[in-house]
Amino acid sequence: PWHNIIFVILTFISVQQHLDKLRIMNLSHSTYLTKSPDFTGVPNLERLILEGCTSLVYLHPSIGILKRLICLNLKDCKSLKSLPHGLQLESLEVFIVFGCSKLDKVLVSLEYMRCLSKLRLDGTGISELPPSVRHLTNLGFISLRNCKKLEKYYEQHLSIESSWRFKPLWLLQTW
């Protein structure tokens, strides 16, 4: 029995030594995952997929060090209430928080996400878009379907057409 435990420990240590080469982390549908891992040991991560992690409440702030991250998929992380404040993911191209119904604020620094081309905020609890959304010069797709609080906000305050430089058609597209 002890030699099995030693084997597992040695295997884990061996894997840890190569985590800096990891490019894709897919933890999709890890229903019991409540906190994301610390990302300091995976600096070259390009894709982080946490889709369907329905118990995920906390996204570790070290996600901000992932300078090569191009895709962040948090689709249907229904327990996620917030994102680490001031995220500056400069290489991010695809950002999906579709179905994160408890997420009511997107306090990320979008102005630093110059590569962002797809943004999915469908079904979130956001009531207004961060002002930094105007800095997304490469944004080719944004989807805001079923954002009930956002719809109410814009009905009361402004029309989306007049406040955005985007074509209203973008809001209706599906991906």
Side-chain angles (χ1 to χ4, degrees):
W2 282 104
H3 67 283
N4 288 340
I5 293 172
I6 292 169
F7 175 74
V8 169
I9 292 170
L10 290 176
T11 303
F12 180 71
I13 290 170
S14 176
V15 168
Q16 266 189 320
Q17 292 171 352
H18 300 288
L19 285 178
D20 63 325
K21 293 176 176 55
L22 189 66
R23 301 278 186 262
I24 300 171
M25 183 180 291
N26 187 345
L27 299 173
S28 293
H29 306 287
S30 299
T31 54
Y32 298 107
L33 183 69
T34 57
K35 297 189 293 187
S36 74
D38 182 332
F39 299 104
T40 53
V42 288
N44 295 311
L45 201 62
E46 294 174 1
R47 297 181 189 279
L48 177 58
I49 306 161
L50 296 167
E51 181 175 335
C53 295
T54 54
S55 299
L56 184 69
V57 175
Y58 176 76
L59 193 59
H60 199 280
S62 63
I63 192 170
I65 67 158
L66 300 177
K67 299 300 178 200
R68 296 183 181 185
L69 194 67
I70 58 173
C71 177
L72 177 56
N73 183 345
L74 299 168
K75 182 180 178 194
D76 293 328
C77 292
K78 297 181 185 305
S79 299
L80 189 64
K81 293 180 183 175
S82 65
L83 299 170
H85 185 70
L87 275 182
Q88 298 179 9
L89 300 170
E90 297 163 9
S91 298
L92 199 65
E93 295 173 14
V94 178
F95 186 31
I96 303 169
V97 288
F98 181 106
C100 297
S101 53
K102 291 187 180 175
L103 187 65
D104 59 0
K105 290 186 178 118
V106 181
L107 297 173
V108 295
S109 299
L110 293 174
E111 66 266 18
Y112 294 102
M113 296 183 186
R114 293 206 167 35
C115 298
L116 196 65
S117 60
K118 293 180 182 163
L119 179 59
R120 296 287 313 259
L121 296 168
D122 314 65
T124 59
I126 62 169
S127 58
E128 60 184 300
L129 292 171
S132 57
V133 75
R134 297 183 190 282
H135 298 284
L136 299 175
T137 55
N138 286 328
L139 191 64
F141 179 87
I142 185 169
S143 186
L144 302 164
R145 287 178 177 259
N146 299 318
C147 292
K148 303 298 183 201
K149 292 179 185 176
L150 184 66
E151 290 170 11
K152 287 179 185 173
Y153 174 83
Y154 281 105
E155 282 174 13
Q156 291 172 356
H157 295 90
L158 344 145
S159 80
I160 291 175
E161 291 176 57
S162 66
S163 66
W164 276 31
R165 61 181 168 83
F166 304 120
K167 296 176 186 172
L169 178 62
W170 279 9
L171 302 175
L172 303 174
Q173 290 177 323
T174 57
W175 186 34

